[in-house]
C-alpha cells in the first residue's frame, strides 16, 4: 500500500492561478526537488507549492492562492536564511529567484533590481560605470534578504550599510496591493522595511543608490598560529575601534583537527595604495604566518573569491554583540577560551561595526562595536546533533558571560529567533511601533516566516 503523503494531499487541491506565467511546482513535478533546496540543507522541508514567480502579477496570484487555501507562506529571495525562513513544510513558497533583472542608471548613480536579484547580478553591470552597491561579502546572497535585514560588507565603514542605500521599494502587500514605498510614500513602512522588511510584504523591486567603485582593494587574509593568537586578537580589537574607515576587518578563529588554534585576519581596504600600506602595515608581524594571501585586487575579484556554494551545506549560525567602551580584555578572554572547544567545521567570526551616517532613519540597529558570530558548517547529517549541541553550549556560555548584547544588529545572522529576542533586537519602543504597523499592513500575519512581529492593534 502506498503511504499517504499529506503534503501531496494539500497540493492536489490547488490549481495554478489564472494567468500565472512562472512555474507552479508541486511534489512529483519535474524541478520540484531541485526547487525545494535552500542554502542550509539541514532544513530539508517540503512545501506543497513552490510558485516560481516571474512578475508582480505572479506574486499577486501566488498570494491569492495561498489565501484561498489557507496555506502558510514563505518568501524566497536568494535562499540563504540560516533559519530556513524561505522554505516551509506543507505551505506555499513565493520564490522570487526567476526575478533577477537589473537596470543601472549611471546619471543618477542608482539601480533598479528585481526582488530575487543576487548581489552578483548588480556588481558587474554597475562596475562598468565605475559604480558599486554596498552589499555583503558574497555575490550569491539575495539582495532581498540582505538589505531588508541590514547588509554588512567591505564597503560598510565608508559607504554605510546596504539598506542605507535603499531609495525606493516596490512592495506587494498581504492583500495583494502593489505599493510604492519611499521617504515620500508610506514613510512609516519605509522606516520599518529597512530592518524588519520580511514582515511587511513581498519586495518585487528595489531602487538602490550606488557608490564610487574602489580603484583597487587590498584583500585576502593572513592566517596566524598559536604564537601570534594573542597579538592578532589585540590587533583585531584595536583596529575595529580605531582603524581606518576605508577598511572593514574580519577575524576568524578556528580549531582544526590537528588541535592547533588559528586566527585569520581579512581586511578589505578600499583606500589609496599608500594609505592601505600604512593602515595595514602592522598586520604582518603579529606572528609567524601559516598562510598569507594579502594582495591588491579588484573589488569584483574580492567578492568573486567568496563563494557560498563552496561551503559544506549543513549549517547553524548565531550572532551577538560586544560594545565598544567596555574593558575589552574579558571580551578577548571569552573568545580565546571558546576557541579550543570548537569542532573542526566551526568558526568564531568577528567583524567591526562602526557608526555610519544614515540618510533616512530606519528601524535597523547599527550599534557600534564588534559583531560576534558563531557558525558551523559541515557535510554529514550524522554530525548534526554534535554541531547543534556545540551551538547551544557556546550560546549558553556567551550569554552567561554577561559580556554581550544579545541582539546583534540584524536578523540576518541568526538560526533561531524567539519573540523575546526579536523584541531585544529592535528595542521596546521600535518593537511596539513595528507591531502597530504590522496590524495596518499585514493584520493576518501572512508574512510570518521571518523574525516575526505579530500584529498588535
Ligand atoms: C554564506 C553566507 C554568507 C553571508 N554573508 C553575509 C554578509 O557578508 N553580510 C551580511 O550582511 N549578511 C550575510 N549573510 C546573511 C544574509 O544576509 C542573510 O542570510 C539574508 O537574509 C539572506 O538573504 P537571501 O535573500 O539570500 O535569503 P532568503 O532565505 O531567501 O531570505 C531571507 C529572509 O528575507 C525574506 N526575503 C528575501 N527576499 C525577499 C523579498 N524580495 N521580499 C520580501 N522578503 C524577502 C525571506 O522571506 C526570509 O525571511 C550571509 C549568509 C550566508 C549563508
Amino acid at each position: 500500500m502506498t503511504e499517504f503523503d499529506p503534503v501531496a494531499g494539500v497540493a492536489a487541491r490547488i490549481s495554478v492561478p489564472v494567468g500565472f506565467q512562472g512555474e507552479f511546482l508541486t511534489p512529483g513535478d519535474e524541478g520540484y526537488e531541485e526547487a525545494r533546496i535552500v542554502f542550509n540543507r539541514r532544513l530539508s522541508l517540503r512545501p506543497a507549492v513552490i510558485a516560481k514567480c516571474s512578475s508582480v502579477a505572479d506574486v499577486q496570484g501566488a498570494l491569492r492562492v495561498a489565501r484561498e487555501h489557507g496555506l502558510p507562506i514563505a518568501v524566497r529571495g536568494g535562499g540563504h536564511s540560516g533559519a530556513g525562513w524561505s522554505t516551509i513544510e506543507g505551505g506555499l513558497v513565493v520564490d522570487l529567484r526567476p526575478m533577477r533583472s537589473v537596470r543601472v542608471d549611471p546619471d543618477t548613480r542608482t539601480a533598479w533590481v528585481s526582488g530575487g536579484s543576487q548581489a552578483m547580478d548588480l556588481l558587474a553591470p554597475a562596475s562598468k560605470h565605475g559604480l558599486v552597491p554596498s552589499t555583503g561579502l558574497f555575490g550569491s546572497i539575495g539582495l532581498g534578504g540582505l538589505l531588508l535585514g541590514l547588509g554588512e560588507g567591505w564597503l560598510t565603514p565608508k559607504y554605510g550599510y546596504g539598506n542605507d542605500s535603499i531609495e525606493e521599494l516596490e512592495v506587494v502587500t498581504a492583500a495583494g496591493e502593489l505599493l510604492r514605498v519611499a521617504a515620500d510614500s508610506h514613510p512609516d513602512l519605509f522606516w520599518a522595511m529597512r530592518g524588519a522588511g520580511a514582515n511587511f510584504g513581498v519586495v518585487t523591486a528595489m531602487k538602490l543608490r550606488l557608490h564610487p567603485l574602489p580603484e583597487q582593494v587590498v584583500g585576502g587574509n593572513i592566517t596566524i598560529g598559536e604564537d601570534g593568537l594573542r597579538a592578532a586578537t589585540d590587533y583585531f580589537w584595536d583596529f575595529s575601534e580605531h582603524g581606518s574607515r576605508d577598511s572593514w576587518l574580519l577575524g576568524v578563529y578556528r580549531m582544526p583537527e590537528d588541535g592547533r588554534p588559528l586566527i585569520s585576519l581579512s581586511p578589505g581596504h578600499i583606500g589609496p595604495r599608500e594609505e592601505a600600506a600604512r593602515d595595514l602595515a602592522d598586520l604582518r608581524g603579529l606572528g609567524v604566518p601559516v598562510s598569507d594571501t594579502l594582495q591588491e585586487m579588484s573589488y569584483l575579484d574580492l567578492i568573486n573569491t567568496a563563494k557560498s556554494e563552496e561551503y559544506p551545506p549543513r549549517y547553524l549560525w548565531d550572532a551577538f554583540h560586544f560594545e565598544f567602551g567596555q574593558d575589552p580584555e574579558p571580551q578577548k578572554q571569552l573568545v580565546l577560551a571558546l576557541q579550543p572547544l570548537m569542532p573542526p567545521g566551526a568558526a568564531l567570526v568577528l567583524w567591526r561595526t562602526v557608526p555610519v551616517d544614515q540618510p533616512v532613519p530606519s528601524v535597523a540597529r547599527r550599534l557600534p562595536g564588534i559583531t560576534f558570530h558563531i557558525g558551523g558548517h559541515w557535510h554529514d547529517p550524522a554530525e548534526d546533533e554534535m554541531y547543534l549541541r556545540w551551538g547551544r553550549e557556546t550560546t549558553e556560555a556567551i550569554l552567561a558571560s554577561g559580556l554581550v548584547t544579545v541582539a546583534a544588529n540584524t536578523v540576518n545572522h541568526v538560526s533561531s529567533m524567539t519573540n523575546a529576542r526579536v523584541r531585544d533586537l529592535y528595542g521596546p519602543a521600535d518593537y511596539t511601533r513595528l507591531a502597530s504597523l504590522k496590524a495596518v499592513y499585514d493584520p493576518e500575519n501572512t508574512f510570518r516566516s521571518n523574525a516575526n512581529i505579530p500584529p498588535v492593534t
Side-chain angles (χ1 to χ4, degrees), residues 75 77-81 86 96 115 137 142 145-146 152 201 203 317 412-413 449:
V75 179
H80 280 71
S81 154
S86 50
L96 301 168
L137 310 188
L146 182 81
E152 300 164 88
V203 172
W317 277 19
N412 280 354
H413 305 294
S449 187

Side-chain angles (χ1 to χ4, degrees), residues 306-371:
K307 295 196 187 317
S308 66
E309 59 277 16
E310 289 175 1
Y311 276 58
R314 310 178 80 77
Y315 81 118
L316 77 96
W317 277 19
D318 215 328
F320 308 91
H321 186 82
F322 289 130
E323 281 176 40
F324 289 146
Q326 313 282 319
D327 176 5
E329 189 52 30
Q331 301 172 345
K332 296 176 194 175
Q333 289 298 340
L334 176 66
V335 174
L336 292 169
L338 290 171
Q339 185 175 21
L341 310 176
M342 284 193 285
L348 304 175
V349 184
L350 282 71
W351 62 86
R352 66 187 309 213
T353 55
V354 291
V356 287
D357 291 338
Q358 240 190 321
V360 183
S362 72
V363 71
R365 286 228 189 143
R366 55 259 331 297
L367 307 171
I370 292 173
T371 298

